[in-house]
Amino acid sequence: MLALGLQACLCLAALQLASSGKTFQRVEEERSWLGALQYCRQHHTDLADLQSVNSPSAISSLYFLTRSTEAWIGLFFDVRIHGLGWSSGSVFTTPKWSVLPVFKEGICATLYSVTVVPSLGAASCTAQKPFICYDDPAEVHRDPMEPIFSLTPSPEPAEVQIGRLTFRRFDHRMTWMAALGYCRSHHTDLADLQTLTDQGGKEALKSITSETEAWIGLYFDAASRSLSWSSGLGASIPTWLQVPKFGVGLCAGLRTYVNYSPRVYSVVCSSLQPFICFYDPSIGHRQSEALPLLVNTPSLEVTTGMTPQPAVPSEGTGTGVRETATATQAPHMSVSNHPESEEHTPAPESGKLFGILKADFIVPALTDPEEMKDQFLSEIQEVLKVTLGHEQFRLKWVGFEVNKK
């Protein structure tokens, strides 16, 4: 058992400034670059476009949105042009106020400060960071999913026709909700497998699956407390899927192992995964449909039970065990604002809520948990993002104790 200290900081969600006719807003919620882009387009205009921010007064104002912590802006390396571009569509020219970092495939720009002048940084587009949006009254809101920017070279999606349905697998990694938005805009929905009840359908689907989970439309509906398909076309589940237990904040990923049949795994919905869309010509696109409810309104005092991903089942005479740390995929955790003990616990900062979080992990024998603490904290953070919603929090490693039962 690992004892981890949790500090939940209820801070202002954003800082604002106005410059060049635009209003910039820094959001402290940590997201990937694409996740931040989707948020900014849904609630503002776009990720921050600093192309016109060149005057001394504008740069000075921009400084008040920067910190030593890097925050995403709308600048990214676009593999289509093999150069830098702004997500808003502006043509990039090198700014006079910052040295330009080295950019390449899969790298997006950040903004930070260590002096009184903001600086451009560069980080993997899948990293989780705060971000800066902007509002421009002269521009209309964009579709959050248009366009899907080419951050890395993408092969043509794998495709299979099963009856009247066309299934396409995209290896671009997104959260479940972002993948749903893309599928509804460009196809019909995330993959609905209800009609694939025979051996032929199962084998055909296998041609576009891999050992990496890809989102499908199955998820745990927080409203009904049951499994649902995002397509809304029913609730049946083919028996061959062997669906494990699900809980709030978990969505279905489909994967194969060696030559076994595809199988569903429960994955935290905010994880970045490939995804499978389907298209039904009798339905068409569904971008105007209501979004599923993945989590209820969170509370800072919660107990959440998550089910680890199961080992791959045996089929015939063969057996397979997933080699990654499946036992740590979704830990069981208990969060409370009233710690059981103050032993080895740092004092909370004045005015901030504080609590102890304990999580159970199964680790290989002879493994030092201290060496795995970064992995543990990362996995717990993903679950807490689902559980706590937009609440700001910080995790601090306190220590661990071995459960000898």
Side-chain angles (χ1 to χ4, degrees):
M1 181 180 291
L2 302 172
L4 305 175
L6 170 68
Q7 290 182 317
C9 177
L10 303 179
C11 307
L12 291 176
L15 299 173
Q16 292 185 350
L17 69 87
S19 176
S20 305
K22 302 175 183 177
T23 301
F24 294 84
Q25 186 173 53
R26 179 184 172 108
V27 182
E28 293 302 329
E29 178 186 348
E30 293 186 348
R31 293 190 175 211
S32 67
W33 188 86
L34 278 173
L37 176 65
Q38 182 185 18
Y39 178 95
C40 289
R41 288 186 167 182
Q42 183 175 357
H43 299 282
H44 304 279
T45 297
D46 209 294
L47 270 170
D49 180 339
L50 308 181
Q51 189 59 49
S52 60
V53 182
N54 286 312
S55 68
S57 60
I59 295 170
S60 177
S61 298
L62 187 64
Y63 168 74
F64 290 101
L65 281 186
T66 60
R67 300 176 180 176
S68 58
T69 301
E70 296 177 299
W72 294 127
I73 56 175
L75 189 62
F76 71 107
F77 188 90
D78 189 342
V79 297
R80 295 173 298 184
I81 62 174
H82 207 70
L84 291 173
W86 294 98
S87 58
S88 63
S90 296
V91 177
F92 173 77
T93 57
T94 305
K96 301 176 182 178
W97 44 269
S98 176
V99 176
L100 197 63
V102 175
F103 285 89
K104 58 182 180 179
E105 295 171 359
I107 300 297
C108 294
T110 60
L111 194 70
Y112 69 100
S113 62
V114 290
T115 63
V116 294
V117 178
S119 298
L120 290 175
S124 169
C125 301
T126 59
Q128 304 289 310
K129 296 182 181 296
F131 51 95
I132 301 173
C133 305
Y134 82 96
D135 289 279
D136 187 339
E139 296 187 32
V140 297
H141 284 288
R142 290 182 173 86
D143 183 334
M145 303 311 301
E146 287 285 355
I148 296 298
F149 288 104
S150 299
L151 303 178
T152 57
S154 299
E156 288 297 315
E159 179 179 316
V160 64
Q161 184 84 25
I162 307 177
R164 74 172 187 274
L165 304 181
T166 302
F167 293 87
R168 290 184 176 91
R169 176 193 169 99
F170 297 86
D171 285 327
H172 194 93
R173 291 177 176 266
M174 296 186 183
T175 64
W176 187 88
M177 192 64 81
L180 176 65
Y182 180 86
C183 289
R184 286 184 173 181
S185 295
H186 300 273
H187 305 280
T188 296
D189 210 286
L190 275 170
D192 185 322
L193 310 182
Q194 294 181 86
T195 61
L196 308 186
T197 56
D198 59 16
Q199 185 70 21
K202 178 175 66 173
E203 290 303 313
L205 186 66
K206 185 177 178 180
S207 68
I208 62 169
T209 56
S210 75
E211 293 192 12
T212 301
E213 286 97 347
W215 295 128
I216 59 174
L218 191 63
Y219 71 102
F220 188 86
D221 189 331
S224 65
R225 308 291 298 181
S226 62
L227 286 174
S228 299
W229 292 96
S230 58
S231 65
L233 299 177
S236 64
I237 301 174
T239 55
W240 60 267
L241 282 179
Q242 302 182 42
V243 176
K245 292 182 179 180
F246 275 72
V248 173
L250 294 179
C251 296
L254 190 73
R255 68 182 290 267
T256 57
Y257 182 81
V258 193
N259 293 320
Y260 300 145
S261 298
R263 183 176 176 182
V264 163
Y265 291 83
S266 54
V267 185
V268 176
C269 301
S270 60
S271 299
L272 299 175
Q273 305 288 347
F275 55 97
I276 302 173
C277 302
F278 85 100
Y279 182 71
D280 186 337
S282 67
I283 298 175
H285 303 320
R286 306 179 68 248
Q287 58 264 43
S288 61
E289 294 297 316
L291 294 176
L293 182 64
L294 301 182
V295 294
N296 288 314
T297 303
S299 167
L300 277 179
E301 185 168 346
V302 333
T303 298
T304 303
M306 297 295 187
T307 305
Q309 292 188 356
V312 174
S314 59
E315 296 193 11
T317 58
T319 59
V321 178
R322 189 174 181 184
E323 295 177 355
T324 55
T326 56
T328 68
Q329 179 69 25
H332 175 83
M333 60 182 60
S334 176
V335 183
S336 173
N337 294 331
H338 308 287
E340 299 174 2
S341 169
E342 297 183 358
E343 184 180 1
H344 306 302
T345 301
E349 298 179 39
S350 176
K352 296 183 178 179
L353 296 175
F354 175 76
I356 292 293
L357 179 149
K358 290 186 177 181
D360 294 328
F361 291 90
I362 299 174
V363 299
L366 305 179
T367 299
D368 183 0
E370 286 285 350
E371 296 179 355
M372 301 179 66
K373 64 182 181 182
D374 290 339
Q375 176 185 338
F376 296 149
L377 289 174
S378 175
E379 292 176 358
I380 292 174
Q381 182 171 334
E382 286 299 318
V383 178
L384 286 178
K385 284 179 181 178
V386 174
T387 306
L388 301 181
H390 296 296
E391 300 288 357
Q392 301 296 313
F393 63 88
R394 290 185 298 172
L395 288 173
K396 183 176 181 180
W397 177 269
V398 175
F400 70 93
E401 59 185 43
V402 178
N403 185 349
K404 299 181 180 179
K405 293 182 180 180

